[in-house]
PDB file of all heavy atoms in Angstrom:
ATOM      1  N   ILE A 173       8.614   9.428  -9.736  1.00 96.00           N
ATOM      2  CA  ILE A 173       8.433   8.136  -9.064  1.00 96.00           C
ATOM      3  C   ILE A 173       8.486   8.317  -7.541  1.00 96.00           C
ATOM      4  O   ILE A 173       9.334   9.043  -7.030  1.00 96.00           O
ATOM      5  CB  ILE A 173       9.511   7.116  -9.497  1.00 96.00           C
ATOM      6  CG1 ILE A 173       9.452   6.888 -11.011  1.00 96.00           C
ATOM      7  CG2 ILE A 173       9.342   5.794  -8.764  1.00 96.00           C
ATOM      8  CD1 ILE A 173      10.573   6.014 -11.532  1.00 96.00           C
ATOM      9  N   TYR A 174       7.588   7.621  -6.841  1.00 97.00           N
ATOM     10  CA  TYR A 174       7.636   7.620  -5.378  1.00 97.00           C
ATOM     11  C   TYR A 174       7.316   6.227  -4.848  1.00 97.00           C
ATOM     12  O   TYR A 174       6.652   5.420  -5.497  1.00 97.00           O
ATOM     13  CB  TYR A 174       6.666   8.652  -4.787  1.00 97.00           C
ATOM     14  CG  TYR A 174       5.207   8.375  -5.032  1.00 97.00           C
ATOM     15  CD1 TYR A 174       4.463   7.549  -4.183  1.00 97.00           C
ATOM     16  CD2 TYR A 174       4.539   8.955  -6.112  1.00 97.00           C
ATOM     17  CE1 TYR A 174       3.126   7.308  -4.405  1.00 97.00           C
ATOM     18  CE2 TYR A 174       3.196   8.717  -6.339  1.00 97.00           C
ATOM     19  CZ  TYR A 174       2.491   7.896  -5.481  1.00 97.00           C
ATOM     20  OH  TYR A 174       1.159   7.657  -5.705  1.00 97.00           O
ATOM     21  N   ILE A 175       7.814   5.961  -3.643  1.00 98.00           N
ATOM     22  CA  ILE A 175       7.512   4.729  -2.921  1.00 98.00           C
ATOM     23  C   ILE A 175       7.244   5.096  -1.462  1.00 98.00           C
ATOM     24  O   ILE A 175       7.608   6.185  -1.006  1.00 98.00           O
ATOM     25  CB  ILE A 175       8.654   3.687  -3.006  1.00 98.00           C
ATOM     26  CG1 ILE A 175       9.943   4.266  -2.401  1.00 98.00           C
ATOM     27  CG2 ILE A 175       8.871   3.231  -4.434  1.00 98.00           C
ATOM     28  CD1 ILE A 175      11.054   3.239  -2.267  1.00 98.00           C
ATOM     29  N   GLY A 176       6.612   4.187  -0.740  1.00 97.00           N
ATOM     30  CA  GLY A 176       6.339   4.459   0.654  1.00 97.00           C
ATOM     31  C   GLY A 176       5.989   3.195   1.409  1.00 97.00           C
ATOM     32  O   GLY A 176       5.726   2.142   0.820  1.00 97.00           O
ATOM     33  N   GLY A 177       5.969   3.305   2.711  1.00 97.00           N
ATOM     34  CA  GLY A 177       5.618   2.172   3.554  1.00 97.00           C
ATOM     35  C   GLY A 177       5.296   2.631   4.951  1.00 97.00           C
ATOM     36  O   GLY A 177       5.513   3.792   5.324  1.00 97.00           O
ATOM     37  N   GLY A 178       4.759   1.712   5.734  1.00 96.00           N
ATOM     38  CA  GLY A 178       4.419   2.045   7.109  1.00 96.00           C
ATOM     39  C   GLY A 178       3.735   0.892   7.800  1.00 96.00           C
ATOM     40  O   GLY A 178       3.640  -0.225   7.271  1.00 96.00           O
ATOM     41  N   ALA A 179       3.237   1.173   8.996  1.00 95.00           N
ATOM     42  CA  ALA A 179       2.580   0.152   9.803  1.00 95.00           C
ATOM     43  C   ALA A 179       1.620   0.828  10.760  1.00 95.00           C
ATOM     44  O   ALA A 179       1.687   2.045  10.984  1.00 95.00           O
ATOM     45  CB  ALA A 179       3.603  -0.677  10.559  1.00 95.00           C
ATOM     46  N   SER A 180       0.721   0.039  11.331  1.00 92.00           N
ATOM     47  CA  SER A 180      -0.235   0.553  12.309  1.00 92.00           C
ATOM     48  C   SER A 180      -0.117  -0.228  13.597  1.00 92.00           C
ATOM     49  O   SER A 180       0.404  -1.356  13.626  1.00 92.00           O
ATOM     50  CB  SER A 180      -1.662   0.462  11.769  1.00 92.00           C
ATOM     51  OG  SER A 180      -2.086  -0.890  11.719  1.00 92.00           O
ATOM     52  N   LEU A 181      -0.633   0.349  14.676  1.00 88.00           N
ATOM     53  CA  LEU A 181      -0.619  -0.337  15.965  1.00 88.00           C
ATOM     54  C   LEU A 181      -1.486  -1.582  15.943  1.00 88.00           C
ATOM     55  O   LEU A 181      -1.320  -2.472  16.775  1.00 88.00           O
ATOM     56  CB  LEU A 181      -1.096   0.614  17.067  1.00 88.00           C
ATOM     57  CG  LEU A 181      -0.199   1.814  17.380  1.00 88.00           C
ATOM     58  CD1 LEU A 181      -0.761   2.587  18.566  1.00 88.00           C
ATOM     59  CD2 LEU A 181       1.234   1.361  17.669  1.00 88.00           C
ATOM     60  N   GLY A 182      -2.422  -1.647  14.994  1.00 82.00           N
ATOM     61  CA  GLY A 182      -3.284  -2.819  14.891  1.00 82.00           C
ATOM     62  C   GLY A 182      -2.646  -4.005  14.196  1.00 82.00           C
ATOM     63  O   GLY A 182      -3.288  -5.033  14.015  1.00 82.00           O
ATOM     64  N   GLY A 183      -1.377  -3.857  13.783  1.00 86.00           N
ATOM     65  CA  GLY A 183      -0.682  -4.967  13.162  1.00 86.00           C
ATOM     66  C   GLY A 183      -0.808  -5.025  11.663  1.00 86.00           C
ATOM     67  O   GLY A 183      -0.703  -6.108  11.078  1.00 86.00           O
ATOM     68  N   ASN A 184      -1.019  -3.868  11.010  1.00 89.00           N
ATOM     69  CA  ASN A 184      -1.100  -3.817   9.555  1.00 89.00           C
ATOM     70  C   ASN A 184       0.188  -3.250   8.968  1.00 89.00           C
ATOM     71  O   ASN A 184       0.729  -2.267   9.479  1.00 89.00           O
ATOM     72  CB  ASN A 184      -2.268  -2.934   9.110  1.00 89.00           C
ATOM     73  CG  ASN A 184      -3.604  -3.606   9.351  1.00 89.00           C
ATOM     74  OD1 ASN A 184      -3.970  -4.551   8.664  1.00 89.00           O
ATOM     75  ND2 ASN A 184      -4.333  -3.110  10.334  1.00 89.00           N
ATOM     76  N   PHE A 185       0.636  -3.843   7.876  1.00 93.00           N
ATOM     77  CA  PHE A 185       1.770  -3.324   7.112  1.00 93.00           C
ATOM     78  C   PHE A 185       1.246  -2.648   5.859  1.00 93.00           C
ATOM     79  O   PHE A 185       0.349  -3.168   5.193  1.00 93.00           O
ATOM     80  CB  PHE A 185       2.721  -4.462   6.728  1.00 93.00           C
ATOM     81  CG  PHE A 185       3.743  -4.062   5.696  1.00 93.00           C
ATOM     82  CD1 PHE A 185       4.861  -3.333   6.057  1.00 93.00           C
ATOM     83  CD2 PHE A 185       3.574  -4.398   4.359  1.00 93.00           C
ATOM     84  CE1 PHE A 185       5.797  -2.945   5.108  1.00 93.00           C
ATOM     85  CE2 PHE A 185       4.500  -4.026   3.403  1.00 93.00           C
ATOM     86  CZ  PHE A 185       5.616  -3.292   3.781  1.00 93.00           C
ATOM     87  N   HIS A 186       1.789  -1.461   5.532  1.00 95.00           N
ATOM     88  CA  HIS A 186       1.363  -0.715   4.366  1.00 95.00           C
ATOM     89  C   HIS A 186       2.528  -0.563   3.389  1.00 95.00           C
ATOM     90  O   HIS A 186       3.663  -0.315   3.789  1.00 95.00           O
ATOM     91  CB  HIS A 186       0.887   0.688   4.748  1.00 95.00           C
ATOM     92  CG  HIS A 186      -0.007   0.744   5.939  1.00 95.00           C
ATOM     93  ND1 HIS A 186      -1.225   0.116   5.984  1.00 95.00           N
ATOM     94  CD2 HIS A 186       0.140   1.350   7.145  1.00 95.00           C
ATOM     95  CE1 HIS A 186      -1.794   0.336   7.151  1.00 95.00           C
ATOM     96  NE2 HIS A 186      -0.983   1.081   7.883  1.00 95.00           N
ATOM     97  N   PHE A 187       2.206  -0.652   2.111  1.00 96.00           N
ATOM     98  CA  PHE A 187       3.178  -0.354   1.060  1.00 96.00           C
ATOM     99  C   PHE A 187       2.477   0.439  -0.033  1.00 96.00           C
ATOM    100  O   PHE A 187       1.305   0.198  -0.332  1.00 96.00           O
ATOM    101  CB  PHE A 187       3.761  -1.635   0.454  1.00 96.00           C
ATOM    102  CG  PHE A 187       4.557  -1.395  -0.791  1.00 96.00           C
ATOM    103  CD1 PHE A 187       5.862  -0.930  -0.720  1.00 96.00           C
ATOM    104  CD2 PHE A 187       3.991  -1.615  -2.039  1.00 96.00           C
ATOM    105  CE1 PHE A 187       6.593  -0.676  -1.877  1.00 96.00           C
ATOM    106  CE2 PHE A 187       4.712  -1.380  -3.205  1.00 96.00           C
ATOM    107  CZ  PHE A 187       6.021  -0.908  -3.116  1.00 96.00           C
ATOM    108  N   GLU A 188       3.165   1.415  -0.597  1.00 97.00           N
ATOM    109  CA  GLU A 188       2.588   2.177  -1.695  1.00 97.00           C
ATOM    110  C   GLU A 188       3.673   2.559  -2.685  1.00 97.00           C
ATOM    111  O   GLU A 188       4.851   2.675  -2.342  1.00 97.00           O
ATOM    112  CB  GLU A 188       1.880   3.432  -1.189  1.00 97.00           C
ATOM    113  CG  GLU A 188       2.774   4.396  -0.441  1.00 97.00           C
ATOM    114  CD  GLU A 188       2.028   5.647  -0.009  1.00 97.00           C
ATOM    115  OE1 GLU A 188       1.243   6.180  -0.814  1.00 97.00           O
ATOM    116  OE2 GLU A 188       2.242   6.094   1.133  1.00 97.00           O
ATOM    117  N   ALA A 189       3.272   2.737  -3.917  1.00 98.00           N
ATOM    118  CA  ALA A 189       4.188   3.156  -4.977  1.00 98.00           C
ATOM    119  C   ALA A 189       3.369   3.843  -6.051  1.00 98.00           C
ATOM    120  O   ALA A 189       2.167   3.594  -6.207  1.00 98.00           O
ATOM    121  CB  ALA A 189       4.943   1.962  -5.554  1.00 98.00           C
ATOM    122  N   GLY A 190       4.033   4.717  -6.791  1.00 97.00           N
ATOM    123  CA  GLY A 190       3.319   5.404  -7.854  1.00 97.00           C
ATOM    124  C   GLY A 190       4.245   6.215  -8.718  1.00 97.00           C
ATOM    125  O   GLY A 190       5.451   6.300  -8.477  1.00 97.00           O
ATOM    126  N   PHE A 191       3.661   6.815  -9.727  1.00 95.00           N
ATOM    127  CA  PHE A 191       4.444   7.657 -10.611  1.00 95.00           C
ATOM    128  C   PHE A 191       3.597   8.835 -11.073  1.00 95.00           C
ATOM    129  O   PHE A 191       2.365   8.810 -11.008  1.00 95.00           O
ATOM    130  CB  PHE A 191       4.986   6.867 -11.806  1.00 95.00           C
ATOM    131  CG  PHE A 191       3.952   6.151 -12.616  1.00 95.00           C
ATOM    132  CD1 PHE A 191       3.374   6.749 -13.718  1.00 95.00           C
ATOM    133  CD2 PHE A 191       3.552   4.862 -12.266  1.00 95.00           C
ATOM    134  CE1 PHE A 191       2.418   6.084 -14.478  1.00 95.00           C
ATOM    135  CE2 PHE A 191       2.601   4.187 -13.021  1.00 95.00           C
ATOM    136  CZ  PHE A 191       2.025   4.810 -14.124  1.00 95.00           C
ATOM    137  N   VAL A 192       4.283   9.880 -11.499  1.00 95.00           N
ATOM    138  CA  VAL A 192       3.655  11.126 -11.909  1.00 95.00           C
ATOM    139  C   VAL A 192       3.942  11.348 -13.390  1.00 95.00           C
ATOM    140  O   VAL A 192       5.090  11.248 -13.834  1.00 95.00           O
ATOM    141  CB  VAL A 192       4.179  12.316 -11.083  1.00 95.00           C
ATOM    142  CG1 VAL A 192       3.479  13.611 -11.508  1.00 95.00           C
ATOM    143  CG2 VAL A 192       3.989  12.060  -9.588  1.00 95.00           C
ATOM    144  N   ILE A 193       2.891  11.661 -14.147  1.00 95.00           N
ATOM    145  CA  ILE A 193       3.014  11.896 -15.582  1.00 95.00           C
ATOM    146  C   ILE A 193       2.823  13.385 -15.858  1.00 95.00           C
ATOM    147  O   ILE A 193       1.818  13.974 -15.443  1.00 95.00           O
ATOM    148  CB  ILE A 193       1.990  11.076 -16.371  1.00 95.00           C
ATOM    149  CG1 ILE A 193       2.179   9.571 -16.112  1.00 95.00           C
ATOM    150  CG2 ILE A 193       2.081  11.374 -17.864  1.00 95.00           C
ATOM    151  CD1 ILE A 193       1.124   8.708 -16.749  1.00 95.00           C
ATOM    152  N   ALA A 194       3.806  13.980 -16.541  1.00 92.00           N
ATOM    153  CA  ALA A 194       3.729  15.388 -16.950  1.00 92.00           C
ATOM    154  C   ALA A 194       3.481  16.317 -15.771  1.00 92.00           C
ATOM    155  O   ALA A 194       2.864  17.387 -15.925  1.00 92.00           O
ATOM    156  CB  ALA A 194       2.656  15.577 -18.019  1.00 92.00           C
ATOM    157  N   ASP A 195       3.934  15.921 -14.582  1.00 90.00           N
ATOM    158  CA  ASP A 195       3.849  16.750 -13.384  1.00 90.00           C
ATOM    159  C   ASP A 195       2.405  17.019 -12.934  1.00 90.00           C
ATOM    160  O   ASP A 195       2.176  17.862 -12.069  1.00 90.00           O
ATOM    161  CB  ASP A 195       4.562  18.088 -13.611  1.00 90.00           C
ATOM    162  CG  ASP A 195       5.052  18.709 -12.309  1.00 90.00           C
ATOM    163  OD1 ASP A 195       5.454  17.946 -11.409  1.00 90.00           O
ATOM    164  OD2 ASP A 195       5.032  19.947 -12.195  1.00 90.00           O
ATOM    165  N   GLN A 196       1.422  16.301 -13.525  1.00 95.00           N
ATOM    166  CA  GLN A 196       0.030  16.584 -13.195  1.00 95.00           C
ATOM    167  C   GLN A 196      -0.794  15.346 -12.852  1.00 95.00           C
ATOM    168  O   GLN A 196      -1.639  15.395 -11.959  1.00 95.00           O
ATOM    169  CB  GLN A 196      -0.650  17.317 -14.364  1.00 95.00           C
ATOM    170  CG  GLN A 196      -0.159  18.733 -14.574  1.00 95.00           C
ATOM    171  CD  GLN A 196      -0.913  19.415 -15.689  1.00 95.00           C
ATOM    172  OE1 GLN A 196      -0.741  19.087 -16.868  1.00 95.00           O
ATOM    173  NE2 GLN A 196      -1.765  20.367 -15.349  1.00 95.00           N
ATOM    174  N   LEU A 197      -0.568  14.244 -13.549  1.00 96.00           N
ATOM    175  CA  LEU A 197      -1.348  13.028 -13.320  1.00 96.00           C
ATOM    176  C   LEU A 197      -0.559  12.082 -12.420  1.00 96.00           C
ATOM    177  O   LEU A 197       0.538  11.648 -12.767  1.00 96.00           O
ATOM    178  CB  LEU A 197      -1.670  12.334 -14.642  1.00 96.00           C
ATOM    179  CG  LEU A 197      -2.417  10.991 -14.537  1.00 96.00           C
ATOM    180  CD1 LEU A 197      -3.775  11.185 -13.869  1.00 96.00           C
ATOM    181  CD2 LEU A 197      -2.565  10.345 -15.898  1.00 96.00           C
ATOM    182  N   ARG A 198      -1.125  11.772 -11.255  1.00 96.00           N
ATOM    183  CA  ARG A 198      -0.477  10.884 -10.291  1.00 96.00           C
ATOM    184  C   ARG A 198      -1.261   9.573 -10.206  1.00 96.00           C
ATOM    185  O   ARG A 198      -2.461   9.567  -9.941  1.00 96.00           O
ATOM    186  CB  ARG A 198      -0.395  11.556  -8.921  1.00 96.00           C
ATOM    187  CG  ARG A 198       0.396  10.770  -7.885  1.00 96.00           C
ATOM    188  CD  ARG A 198       0.638  11.565  -6.619  1.00 96.00           C
ATOM    189  NE  ARG A 198      -0.575  11.911  -5.915  1.00 96.00           N
ATOM    190  CZ  ARG A 198      -1.130  13.112  -5.906  1.00 96.00           C
ATOM    191  NH1 ARG A 198      -0.600  14.090  -6.617  1.00 96.00           N
ATOM    192  NH2 ARG A 198      -2.243  13.346  -5.229  1.00 96.00           N
ATOM    193  N   ILE A 199      -0.571   8.461 -10.444  1.00 97.00           N
ATOM    194  CA  ILE A 199      -1.179   7.132 -10.388  1.00 97.00           C
ATOM    195  C   ILE A 199      -0.512   6.353  -9.257  1.00 97.00           C
ATOM    196  O   ILE A 199       0.716   6.191  -9.256  1.00 97.00           O
ATOM    197  CB  ILE A 199      -1.014   6.381 -11.724  1.00 97.00           C
ATOM    198  CG1 ILE A 199      -1.619   7.199 -12.869  1.00 97.00           C
ATOM    199  CG2 ILE A 199      -1.656   5.004 -11.654  1.00 97.00           C
ATOM    200  CD1 ILE A 199      -1.377   6.613 -14.234  1.00 97.00           C
ATOM    201  N   GLY A 200      -1.297   5.885  -8.296  1.00 97.00           N
ATOM    202  CA  GLY A 200      -0.731   5.225  -7.133  1.00 97.00           C
ATOM    203  C   GLY A 200      -1.357   3.878  -6.846  1.00 97.00           C
ATOM    204  O   GLY A 200      -2.523   3.627  -7.190  1.00 97.00           O
ATOM    205  N   TYR A 201      -0.578   3.027  -6.218  1.00 98.00           N
ATOM    206  CA  TYR A 201      -1.050   1.704  -5.786  1.00 98.00           C
ATOM    207  C   TYR A 201      -0.698   1.521  -4.314  1.00 98.00           C
ATOM    208  O   TYR A 201       0.433   1.802  -3.884  1.00 98.00           O
ATOM    209  CB  TYR A 201      -0.404   0.602  -6.614  1.00 98.00           C
ATOM    210  CG  TYR A 201      -0.609  -0.785  -6.027  1.00 98.00           C
ATOM    211  CD1 TYR A 201      -1.839  -1.418  -6.114  1.00 98.00           C
ATOM    212  CD2 TYR A 201       0.431  -1.438  -5.359  1.00 98.00           C
ATOM    213  CE1 TYR A 201      -2.045  -2.674  -5.566  1.00 98.00           C
ATOM    214  CE2 TYR A 201       0.241  -2.703  -4.818  1.00 98.00           C
ATOM    215  CZ  TYR A 201      -1.000  -3.315  -4.911  1.00 98.00           C
ATOM    216  OH  TYR A 201      -1.194  -4.562  -4.357  1.00 98.00           O
ATOM    217  N   GLY A 202      -1.668   1.059  -3.526  1.00 97.00           N
ATOM    218  CA  GLY A 202      -1.451   0.788  -2.118  1.00 97.00           C
ATOM    219  C   GLY A 202      -1.750  -0.663  -1.783  1.00 97.00           C
ATOM    220  O   GLY A 202      -2.670  -1.270  -2.341  1.00 97.00           O
ATOM    221  N   TYR A 203      -0.961  -1.215  -0.866  1.00 96.00           N
ATOM    222  CA  TYR A 203      -1.110  -2.620  -0.460  1.00 96.00           C
ATOM    223  C   TYR A 203      -1.060  -2.696   1.059  1.00 96.00           C
ATOM    224  O   TYR A 203      -0.192  -2.083   1.700  1.00 96.00           O
ATOM    225  CB  TYR A 203       0.018  -3.448  -1.064  1.00 96.00           C
ATOM    226  CG  TYR A 203       0.061  -4.888  -0.592  1.00 96.00           C
ATOM    227  CD1 TYR A 203      -0.701  -5.870  -1.210  1.00 96.00           C
ATOM    228  CD2 TYR A 203       0.884  -5.263   0.478  1.00 96.00           C
ATOM    229  CE1 TYR A 203      -0.657  -7.182  -0.783  1.00 96.00           C
ATOM    230  CE2 TYR A 203       0.932  -6.576   0.916  1.00 96.00           C
ATOM    231  CZ  TYR A 203       0.156  -7.541   0.284  1.00 96.00           C
ATOM    232  OH  TYR A 203       0.205  -8.845   0.720  1.00 96.00           O
ATOM    233  N   ASP A 204      -1.997  -3.433   1.637  1.00 93.00           N
ATOM    234  CA  ASP A 204      -2.026  -3.673   3.087  1.00 93.00           C
ATOM    235  C   ASP A 204      -2.024  -5.168   3.349  1.00 93.00           C
ATOM    236  O   ASP A 204      -2.650  -5.938   2.608  1.00 93.00           O
ATOM    237  CB  ASP A 204      -3.304  -3.108   3.716  1.00 93.00           C
ATOM    238  CG  ASP A 204      -3.202  -1.623   4.009  1.00 93.00           C
ATOM    239  OD1 ASP A 204      -2.389  -0.951   3.340  1.00 93.00           O
ATOM    240  OD2 ASP A 204      -3.950  -1.149   4.876  1.00 93.00           O
ATOM    241  N   TYR A 205      -1.347  -5.563   4.418  1.00 91.00           N
ATOM    242  CA  TYR A 205      -1.481  -6.940   4.890  1.00 91.00           C
ATOM    243  C   TYR A 205      -1.509  -6.914   6.411  1.00 91.00           C
ATOM    244  O   TYR A 205      -0.609  -6.348   7.043  1.00 91.00           O
ATOM    245  CB  TYR A 205      -0.339  -7.827   4.415  1.00 91.00           C
ATOM    246  CG  TYR A 205      -0.594  -9.284   4.731  1.00 91.00           C
ATOM    247  CD1 TYR A 205      -1.367 -10.070   3.887  1.00 91.00           C
ATOM    248  CD2 TYR A 205      -0.105  -9.865   5.910  1.00 91.00           C
ATOM    249  CE1 TYR A 205      -1.645 -11.390   4.184  1.00 91.00           C
ATOM    250  CE2 TYR A 205      -0.379 -11.189   6.213  1.00 91.00           C
ATOM    251  CZ  TYR A 205      -1.147 -11.951   5.352  1.00 91.00           C
ATOM    252  OH  TYR A 205      -1.422 -13.259   5.669  1.00 91.00           O
ATOM    253  N   PRO A 206      -2.529  -7.503   7.038  1.00 87.00           N
ATOM    254  CA  PRO A 206      -2.634  -7.498   8.498  1.00 87.00           C
ATOM    255  C   PRO A 206      -1.868  -8.665   9.134  1.00 87.00           C
ATOM    256  O   PRO A 206      -2.157  -9.830   8.860  1.00 87.00           O
ATOM    257  CB  PRO A 206      -4.142  -7.624   8.737  1.00 87.00           C
ATOM    258  CG  PRO A 206      -4.652  -8.369   7.544  1.00 87.00           C
ATOM    259  CD  PRO A 206      -3.746  -8.020   6.388  1.00 87.00           C
ATOM    260  N   PHE A 207      -0.901  -8.350   9.975  1.00 84.00           N
ATOM    261  CA  PHE A 207      -0.174  -9.381  10.712  1.00 84.00           C
ATOM    262  C   PHE A 207      -0.834  -9.587  12.075  1.00 84.00           C
ATOM    263  O   PHE A 207      -0.253  -9.347  13.130  1.00 84.00           O
ATOM    264  CB  PHE A 207       1.292  -8.977  10.876  1.00 84.00           C
ATOM    265  CG  PHE A 207       2.068  -9.036   9.586  1.00 84.00           C
ATOM    266  CD1 PHE A 207       2.256  -7.895   8.832  1.00 84.00           C
ATOM    267  CD2 PHE A 207       2.592 -10.231   9.129  1.00 84.00           C
ATOM    268  CE1 PHE A 207       2.964  -7.946   7.639  1.00 84.00           C
ATOM    269  CE2 PHE A 207       3.302 -10.294   7.942  1.00 84.00           C
ATOM    270  CZ  PHE A 207       3.489  -9.147   7.192  1.00 84.00           C
ATOM    271  N   ASN A 208      -2.080 -10.022  12.031  1.00 75.00           N
ATOM    272  CA  ASN A 208      -2.821 -10.313  13.251  1.00 75.00           C
ATOM    273  C   ASN A 208      -3.723 -11.505  12.978  1.00 75.00           C
ATOM    274  O   ASN A 208      -3.537 -12.229  12.006  1.00 75.00           O
ATOM    275  CB  ASN A 208      -3.614  -9.080  13.713  1.00 75.00           C
ATOM    276  CG  ASN A 208      -4.440  -8.478  12.580  1.00 75.00           C
ATOM    277  OD1 ASN A 208      -4.946  -9.182  11.723  1.00 75.00           O
ATOM    278  ND2 ASN A 208      -4.554  -7.152  12.584  1.00 75.00           N
ATOM    279  N   THR A 209      -4.726 -11.708  13.822  1.00 64.00           N
ATOM    280  CA  THR A 209      -5.549 -12.916  13.704  1.00 64.00           C
ATOM    281  C   THR A 209      -6.325 -12.981  12.396  1.00 64.00           C
ATOM    282  O   THR A 209      -6.617 -14.067  11.900  1.00 64.00           O
ATOM    283  CB  THR A 209      -6.541 -12.999  14.878  1.00 64.00           C
ATOM    284  OG1 THR A 209      -7.302 -11.781  14.941  1.00 64.00           O
ATOM    285  CG2 THR A 209      -5.795 -13.179  16.185  1.00 64.00           C
ATOM    286  N   ILE A 210      -6.648 -11.812  11.809  1.00 68.00           N
ATOM    287  CA  ILE A 210      -7.415 -11.838  10.566  1.00 68.00           C
ATOM    288  C   ILE A 210      -6.513 -12.028   9.358  1.00 68.00           C
ATOM    289  O   ILE A 210      -6.982 -12.377   8.265  1.00 68.00           O
ATOM    290  CB  ILE A 210      -8.241 -10.545  10.405  1.00 68.00           C
ATOM    291  CG1 ILE A 210      -9.292 -10.720   9.301  1.00 68.00           C
ATOM    292  CG2 ILE A 210      -7.331  -9.348  10.085  1.00 68.00           C
ATOM    293  CD1 ILE A 210     -10.216  -9.534   9.150  1.00 68.00           C
ATOM    294  N   GLY A 211      -5.185 -11.829   9.507  1.00 65.00           N
ATOM    295  CA  GLY A 211      -4.270 -11.862   8.374  1.00 65.00           C
ATOM    296  C   GLY A 211      -4.378 -13.088   7.483  1.00 65.00           C
ATOM    297  O   GLY A 211      -4.698 -12.972   6.300  1.00 65.00           O
ATOM    298  N   PRO A 212      -4.132 -14.290   7.998  1.00 69.00           N
ATOM    299  CA  PRO A 212      -4.193 -15.472   7.133  1.00 69.00           C
ATOM    300  C   PRO A 212      -5.580 -15.728   6.550  1.00 69.00           C
ATOM    301  O   PRO A 212      -5.709 -16.289   5.460  1.00 69.00           O
ATOM    302  CB  PRO A 212      -3.782 -16.608   8.082  1.00 69.00           C
ATOM    303  CG  PRO A 212      -3.038 -15.936   9.186  1.00 69.00           C
ATOM    304  CD  PRO A 212      -3.699 -14.606   9.360  1.00 69.00           C
ATOM    305  N   VAL A 213      -6.633 -15.320   7.272  1.00 69.00           N
ATOM    306  CA  VAL A 213      -8.001 -15.555   6.812  1.00 69.00           C
ATOM    307  C   VAL A 213      -8.454 -14.443   5.878  1.00 69.00           C
ATOM    308  O   VAL A 213      -8.975 -14.677   4.790  1.00 69.00           O
ATOM    309  CB  VAL A 213      -8.964 -15.668   8.011  1.00 69.00           C
ATOM    310  CG1 VAL A 213     -10.396 -15.841   7.518  1.00 69.00           C
ATOM    311  CG2 VAL A 213      -8.553 -16.831   8.906  1.00 69.00           C
ATOM    312  N   GLY A 214      -8.246 -13.207   6.313  1.00 75.00           N
ATOM    313  CA  GLY A 214      -8.742 -12.073   5.543  1.00 75.00           C
ATOM    314  C   GLY A 214      -7.921 -11.767   4.310  1.00 75.00           C
ATOM    315  O   GLY A 214      -8.441 -11.285   3.310  1.00 75.00           O
ATOM    316  N   GLY A 215      -6.627 -12.009   4.373  1.00 82.00           N
ATOM    317  CA  GLY A 215      -5.789 -11.730   3.224  1.00 82.00           C
ATOM    318  C   GLY A 215      -5.455 -10.260   3.078  1.00 82.00           C
ATOM    319  O   GLY A 215      -5.647  -9.456   3.986  1.00 82.00           O
ATOM    320  N   SER A 216      -4.981  -9.883   1.921  1.00 90.00           N
ATOM    321  CA  SER A 216      -4.428  -8.555   1.696  1.00 90.00           C
ATOM    322  C   SER A 216      -5.494  -7.577   1.207  1.00 90.00           C
ATOM    323  O   SER A 216      -6.622  -7.942   0.892  1.00 90.00           O
ATOM    324  CB  SER A 216      -3.288  -8.639   0.685  1.00 90.00           C
ATOM    325  OG  SER A 216      -3.742  -9.252  -0.514  1.00 90.00           O
ATOM    326  N   THR A 217      -5.073  -6.305   1.134  1.00 94.00           N
ATOM    327  CA  THR A 217      -5.918  -5.222   0.649  1.00 94.00           C
ATOM    328  C   THR A 217      -5.197  -4.514  -0.483  1.00 94.00           C
ATOM    329  O   THR A 217      -3.983  -4.283  -0.412  1.00 94.00           O
ATOM    330  CB  THR A 217      -6.221  -4.231   1.786  1.00 94.00           C
ATOM    331  OG1 THR A 217      -7.010  -4.882   2.780  1.00 94.00           O
ATOM    332  CG2 THR A 217      -6.960  -3.016   1.279  1.00 94.00           C
ATOM    333  N   HIS A 218      -5.933  -4.164  -1.535  1.00 96.00           N
ATOM    334  CA  HIS A 218      -5.349  -3.490  -2.696  1.00 96.00           C
ATOM    335  C   HIS A 218      -6.121  -2.202  -2.967  1.00 96.00           C
ATOM    336  O   HIS A 218      -7.349  -2.168  -2.843  1.00 96.00           O
ATOM    337  CB  HIS A 218      -5.401  -4.397  -3.921  1.00 96.00           C
ATOM    338  CG  HIS A 218      -4.752  -5.725  -3.713  1.00 96.00           C
ATOM    339  ND1 HIS A 218      -3.407  -5.952  -3.925  1.00 96.00           N
ATOM    340  CD2 HIS A 218      -5.266  -6.912  -3.281  1.00 96.00           C
ATOM    341  CE1 HIS A 218      -3.118  -7.198  -3.656  1.00 96.00           C
ATOM    342  NE2 HIS A 218      -4.229  -7.815  -3.256  1.00 96.00           N
TER     343      HIS A 218
END
């Protein structure tokens, strides 16, 4: 199991999480949300 996060100078927040099966198959999910002028209009990224 892993988790992660971060941000960019452009005002984006990043989140990620995932898990590893049998030490070989890695399945991950990433989420972005922009905290700038496009945020409320553009919405999130998956």
Side-chain angles (χ1 to χ4, degrees):
I173 301 174
Y174 66 86
I175 60 172
S180 71
L181 293 185
N184 287 288
F185 167 79
H186 315 298
F187 169 79
E188 60 178 317
F191 56 92
V192 181
I193 300 174
D195 206 35
Q196 290 183 289
L197 176 61
R198 186 171 63 256
I199 303 174
Y201 167 74
Y203 174 86
D204 277 24
Y205 189 84
F207 289 97
N208 50 34
T209 54
I210 194 176
V213 177
S216 56
T217 294
H218 305 272

